[in-house]
Amino acid sequence: MSNFSRWQAGTAAFLALGITTGTLAPLVSTAPAFAQASGFSDVSSNYWAEDFISELSERQIIAGFPDGTFRPDAPVTRAQFAAMLRKANESFDQPSVRGNTNFVDVRSNYWAASAIQTAYTTGFMAGYPGNVFRPEQNIPREQVLVALANGLDYSSSTATSTVLNIYNDASRISNFARDPIAAATQNQLVVNYPNLSTLNPTRNATRAEVAAFLYQALVKEGEAVAINSPYVVNQTPVVTGPVTIPSGTSIPVQYEREKILITNEETVPLTLTVDANITTADGRVLIPAGSEVIGELRPAQGGAQFVAQTLVMGSQQMPINATSQVITTTETVRKGINVGNLVKNAALGTAAAAAIAAVTGDRAIATEELLIGGGAGVVLNLITTFLGRNSVDLISIEPDTDLDLRLGSNLVITPR
């Protein structure tokens, strides 16, 4: 999914965290008073990075597109990031620390040539062996953090391994990035959404994430007021009472099978498992990994959608309003198809199982494969519905990518 200004600790903590009795303010969807509306049609008021995007847009460090969008989830190229850095350096005011260089893949008339040269001479960015810059390459999250930590000359006062232990995927951080990311973490440049403990170092940075990192650097340099966000790593508020997880928050989930096949007309019960801890800014677990989300796959807009009904955390159960995206991907089943390959590590809705059995003539599927929504008897009764067909289209769902949930309303939970 963060640098604090050099103000006195008490003032900084108050502005950064905005604690009120019984509530962890960063998880409340209300924006702080100083944040401006983003004005972008695809950045809603409860989007996790809306405040960061809004503030940087006001400062003209980032901009949207002619159609009024910001495209927050789009990747950022190295050239685009260099251009953002040049605008941000008007506030950072970092001097040149080395001379110019001529990257072999950056023409003198390239649109970002000047910005790339500035990013290089000020120490924020460097090239690759062979004096290449790769301007059109998407920039990973770890490279963004390394650039900011190096360019602003940050270091960590604690052993790198100790600092990085807070990330559950620290082993994926590239060797060159470990020390700078430890420095970025300790100086509070890191913003992780939706889970504080997951860095995703090698994943391409999105426009929203780069905005968050840049803004946190401005905060650290005393050029901006800290934003009240629950996704800034290393915030340590004192929390009492229940916490509100705002509408729009993403919850990653997983399922025991690699694929689910259903017809576009059937409704089947399904239980998913939360894939990672959902935590407060101080690391207290709100929804532990392994919690169950009970709900149904239902027909929706020409496809299927998972609708959550109950969240189960150990002995605790509560209603939950959350849905997946609508899945419209289909897979065609025809006579003569290799049924074994089709259903390998797949869960079948009862109607889907009946359709496969009727089209292929393989009645064993009614009893041998994992079914959701009913038993073998139901499948056998449904087979007549599909007899005579030479093919049938089924909705094909990949749970690990298709079924991540988004809250449709606030969820109030007491931290553990």
Side-chain angles (χ1 to χ4, degrees):
M1 137 53 337
S2 320
N3 300 13
F4 278 84
S5 61
R6 296 188 180 113
W7 299 344
Q8 293 181 349
T11 304
F14 174 78
L15 288 174
L17 306 176
I19 300 302
T20 57
T21 304
T23 305
L24 175 60
L27 278 173
V28 178
S29 57
T30 303
F34 55 80
Q36 303 296 315
S38 71
F40 298 115
S41 61
D42 56 348
V43 180
S44 63
S45 61
N46 63 356
Y47 182 69
W48 73 269
E50 191 274 338
D51 294 336
F52 300 110
I53 293 168
S54 175
E55 289 293 324
L56 288 193
S57 176
E58 287 289 313
R59 294 165 182 261
Q60 298 183 349
I61 293 174
I62 58 174
F65 295 87
D67 62 358
T69 64
F70 182 75
R71 304 175 194 173
D73 297 323
V76 177
T77 66
R78 284 169 53 81
Q80 290 169 343
F81 180 57
M84 294 176 190
L85 279 173
R86 183 168 65 171
K87 295 293 293 183
N89 201 40
E90 294 176 6
S91 297
F92 297 147
D93 198 25
Q94 291 297 104
S96 294
V97 295
R98 56 193 175 196
N100 291 344
T101 189
N102 292 317
F103 292 110
V104 297
D105 56 346
V106 180
R107 303 182 309 276
S108 60
N109 62 349
Y110 182 67
W111 72 270
S114 176
I116 290 170
Q117 199 63 232
T118 299
Y120 176 78
T121 59
T122 52
F124 283 98
M125 299 183 75
Y128 292 89
N131 203 33
V132 297
F133 187 79
R134 301 178 187 172
E136 299 300 319
Q137 181 183 76
N138 291 334
I139 189 167
R141 282 167 55 89
E142 66 179 7
Q143 282 192 23
V144 175
L145 294 170
V146 167
L148 291 172
N150 287 345
L152 297 171
D153 198 26
Y154 293 155
S155 60
S156 172
S157 61
T158 305
T160 293
S161 59
T162 300
V163 176
L164 298 184
N165 274 341
I166 66 174
Y167 301 121
N168 57 28
D169 54 355
S171 62
R172 294 172 55 197
I173 301 173
S174 301
N175 287 336
F176 78 88
R178 292 181 65 80
D179 288 346
I181 287 181
T185 300
Q186 194 164 72
N187 286 279
Q188 296 194 334
L189 268 65
V190 183
V191 183
N192 288 339
Y193 172 86
N195 297 308
L196 285 175
S197 59
T198 302
L199 182 65
N200 289 313
T202 58
R203 179 172 59 72
N204 289 335
T206 66
R207 284 168 53 81
E209 290 168 341
V210 170
F213 295 158
L214 282 171
Y215 188 84
Q216 288 304 113
L218 291 172
V219 174
K220 176 62 179 179
E221 292 298 296
E223 298 294 331
V225 178
I227 278 175
N228 198 11
S229 169
Y231 306 113
V232 176
V233 175
N234 261 8
Q235 288 183 330
T236 54
V238 176
V239 184
T240 58
V243 173
T244 298
I245 305 178
S247 172
T249 297
S250 176
I251 300 177
V253 294
Q254 61 181 355
Y255 184 63
E256 61 184 317
R257 293 294 176 115
E258 293 179 0
K259 181 170 64 175
I260 300 173
L261 295 173
I262 60 174
T263 67
N264 61 3
E265 297 178 346
E266 67 179 315
T267 297
V268 297
L270 193 67
T271 298
L272 304 176
T273 302
V274 176
D275 197 28
N277 289 338
I278 307 298
T279 66
T280 62
D282 62 345
R284 299 174 70 189
V285 176
L286 296 175
I287 304 176
S291 298
E292 293 184 337
V293 182
I294 301 172
E296 293 178 334
L297 284 169
R298 300 176 182 174
Q301 302 172 28
Q305 182 179 42
F306 180 79
V307 178
Q309 297 168 326
T310 305
L311 174 63
V312 181
M313 300 180 291
S315 60
Q316 182 182 8
Q317 296 189 22
M318 65 180 62
I320 180 173
N321 175 11
T323 57
S324 72
Q325 64 178 319
V326 176
I327 305 102
T328 57
T329 303
T330 60
E331 187 164 349
T332 301
V333 178
R334 294 184 174 89
K335 286 186 177 182
I337 196 171
N338 187 317
V339 176
N341 290 339
L342 173 70
V343 301
K344 184 179 180 180
N345 207 21
L348 309 177
T350 50
I356 295 170
V359 170
T360 65
D362 187 349
R363 299 295 193 270
I365 199 170
T367 56
E368 293 180 359
E369 303 303 329
L370 176 65
L371 303 177
I372 48 178
V378 178
V379 174
L380 294 172
N381 288 335
L382 285 173
I383 286 177
T384 55
T385 305
F386 300 95
L387 286 177
R389 298 193 189 184
N390 293 320
S391 68
V392 65
D393 290 332
L394 301 178
I395 302 295
S396 179
I397 301 168
E398 296 184 8
D400 289 348
T401 56
D402 293 337
L403 295 182
D404 282 352
L405 304 178
R406 188 171 296 276
L407 288 178
S409 60
N410 292 346
L411 182 64
V412 180
I413 295 179
T414 300
R416 299 187 171 193

